[in-house]
Amino acid sequence: MPSSDIIQLLPDSIANQIAAGEVVQRPASVVKELMENAIDAKATKVQVILREAGRTLIQVIDNGIGMSETDARMCFERHATSKIRQSEDLFRIRTMGFRGEALASIAAVAQVELRTRQESEELGTLIRIDGSEIKAQEPVACPKGTSFSIRNLFFNVPARRNFLKSNSVEMRHVLDEFQRIALAHPEVALTLHHNDTEVFNLQPVKLVRRIIDIYGKSYREQLAYCQEDTSYINVRGYIGKPEFARKTRGEQFFFVNDRFIKHNYMHHAVISAFDGTIPEGSHPFYVLFIDIDPSHIDINIHPTKTEIKFDDERSVYAIIMAAVKKAVGVYNLSQSIDFEENINFLNPTSPVEPSPNLIPRTVMPDWAAQPRKSGNTASKSNLTNWSKLFEGLQNTEDRNRELAAFEIGTTTASRPVYQEQAKTVASKVNRMASEVVAAPEADALLFQLHNRYILSQVKDGIMLIDQKAAYERILYERYRKMLINRNGACQQLLFPKTIRLTHSDMQLVHETKKEIRSLGFEFDEFGSNELIIRGIPADLPEESEQDLFEELIEQLKQSYSDLKLNKPESLSRSLAKRFSVRYAVKLSHMEIHTLMNQLFSSSDPNRTPGGEPIIVLLTMEKLANIFRN
């Protein structure tokens, strides 16, 4: 009688390939794991050598303590580690690695060569492994320390290899991991070579010097020291001054016990501390180290070890926020705050009395300035009289230039034509036939509400148009046409602007150079990480060239994360969503008509590229029901 048992134990080679799916996601994962092992081995010098962004070769050489012959063989076994001995050790972890999965996972999906020697030994050990199968183990003459050579990553898992991105994208991820480790350990000398080109050569220095070595001399002026010591945690590091906040993310770092982590809640604490000093949509620079007793955290959440849990997140949030605010206050960047109070963060129920000497001083930046409201009747009438001085200026040259930026191929902006265009769109787009809203009559009254919505009378009621959503649809079709036809109009700058980017952002520019130029940007490379902007798109709102380019880089980063869309489609959507916010402004009657023309000339005037509604129709029946209820 055949056995009904169907459960069986997987071979180690298959189990290691499964585990590799979480630990080894791309070449950057291998670089991270090997560099962290070198740090744990007390190395003072680590070299990283790559070819084709790590596809064909990843070599990490360190001068650490090395391994014995037995340890060299055991390190490739699953759950083999020198970091922990018993379950209690999980709550005393100070090393980078501890799970014992990385090397076994790497060996399962690559061709690995290990050379290692301890200082007390005359000869070292050489081990070669192909896909978890040991091919050779023999003594070898080699320097003290360890050298890992990882060749042909995912050679035996073609499906995983096909999911790798281009070399520029993969190299950008490698640079991110390298920089994180470099910031976490400024006392270690680190070098990075890619295709025989030196990318980084970092010598042992203090943290502030390491930041400058990685990001450039311009950061010397923007760094402010941050420190706060409590009985629960100690916070130290550097923050960037508000005036140096950038439109791009990627320069925000948290390290807990020298381990890089991603924590949205703690990031919110830093952003809250900067509240009122940086514009919305900008991101401050910070490198913050949190020293805490390992018993208060849990890092055994995910194999990548970038997630972490605190046993008292609210206290950590409050201390980080206080530390950053203190740094901001010390450097006269924000309101003065009394930080000498004995605040018990670990007991949130304890009332804290405000200091009688505390005199809050609010510093309002220029960009956030708002007109004062006066309760004086005479003042109000004066304001009304003053407004008459500006009557008749709607048709000035500046307004005409602004209006021209809204045009997308319309010939006569003064004569509304969207009624006929809407009918044409309705006939072409069959799938939207049931949802197409009738266009307003040519002589219908148009009204703008709070610079956000446009109201118009139609045959059966009132039509409401979301102004921002409408511009998102218009800009999307404009950018998509530019990217496909590669014919974006460029406005030359009278004085070219030089901007500096990070290494990873520069890799992204290399990857998307054609797309960026298709939008109307004209630029040349100047040095390793600098660009000279010579022209910008002619139809973008007036703003500094650096802010525009940084916002473009940020949108490129986000568009790359959407794997369901092709590059022009994804980039067009993200740029349209980003820049449509700028058009939430007061429009003249002619501009409203132009907006309507452009909207009803688009391929789908009813919805944004993301599927959100643009037009809502309140029929007479719906309006009547509102009053009946």
Side-chain angles (χ1 to χ4, degrees), residues 131 154 176-177 211 250 253 264 286 331 336 372 387 444 448 491 505 521 532 556 564:
F154 301 129
D176 288 341
E177 296 293 352
I211 294 173
F253 301 93
N264 292 332
Y286 63 80
Y331 287 87
S336 300
R372 295 185 177 180
S387 64
Q448 187 182 28
Q491 177 181 341
D505 287 351
F521 284 96
I532 298 179
L556 286 169
K564 296 178 293 185

Side-chain angles (χ1 to χ4, degrees), residues 153-286:
L153 188 63
F154 301 129
F155 80 101
N156 55 348
V157 192
R160 291 291 304 278
R161 191 175 181 87
N162 291 337
F163 274 100
L164 292 179
K165 304 296 182 184
S166 65
N167 287 351
S168 297
V169 175
E170 296 300 337
M171 190 61 192
R172 185 158 52 88
H173 288 284
V174 170
L175 288 170
D176 288 341
E177 296 293 352
F178 184 90
Q179 290 172 0
R180 292 165 184 171
I181 294 176
L183 290 172
H185 302 279
E187 74 284 355
V188 179
L190 299 171
T191 60
L192 173 63
H193 290 79
H194 181 223
N195 293 340
D196 298 325
T197 300
E198 183 179 87
V199 181
F200 280 112
N201 187 350
L202 305 175
Q203 299 304 311
V205 289
K206 293 183 178 180
L207 176 59
V208 63
R209 180 65 192 180
R210 177 59 59 89
I211 294 173
I212 294 171
D213 288 344
I214 293 176
Y215 294 106
K217 295 180 181 179
S218 61
Y219 280 67
R220 189 193 308 271
E221 302 175 358
Q222 67 159 295
L223 298 178
Y225 186 66
C226 175
Q227 182 173 0
E228 187 70 25
D229 297 330
T230 70
S231 59
Y232 182 48
I233 66 170
N234 297 327
V235 179
R236 60 182 175 84
Y238 290 89
I239 62 171
K241 298 177 182 179
E243 58 265 30
F244 292 95
R246 304 181 61 173
K247 297 292 184 180
T248 56
R249 296 184 179 91
E251 296 182 354
Q252 295 78 37
F253 301 93
F254 271 120
F255 299 94
V256 174
N257 295 343
D258 294 336
R259 181 193 305 277
F260 173 77
I261 66 163
K262 298 177 181 178
H263 207 295
N264 292 332
Y265 188 53
M266 300 309 154
H267 173 73
H268 186 271
V270 177
I271 298 302
S272 299
F274 276 93
D275 187 30
T277 63
I278 60 175
E280 184 177 356
S282 296
H283 307 280
F285 172 88
Y286 63 80

Side-chain angles (χ1 to χ4, degrees), residues 543-560:
E543 193 173 338
S544 74
E545 294 79 11
Q546 179 156 352
D547 287 347
L548 287 174
F549 205 86
E550 287 180 353
E551 288 205 32
L552 173 64
I553 296 296
E554 183 64 23
Q555 293 310 305
L556 286 169
K557 291 178 183 177
Q558 296 183 17
S559 66
Y560 264 89

Side-chain angles (χ1 to χ4, degrees), residues 68 72 139 207 232 246 283 357 374 389 405 419 423 473 485 541 610:
S68 66
L207 176 59
Y232 182 48
R246 304 181 61 173
H283 307 280
N357 299 323
S374 174
L389 294 175
Q419 185 175 15
K423 294 178 181 179
R473 163 57 64 179
N485 298 332

Side-chain angles (χ1 to χ4, degrees), residues 422 425-438 604 606:
V425 171
S427 62
K428 288 183 178 179
V429 189
N430 294 328
R431 64 181 180 83
M432 299 295 294
S434 60
E435 301 181 22
V436 171
V437 176
D604 185 359
N606 296 279

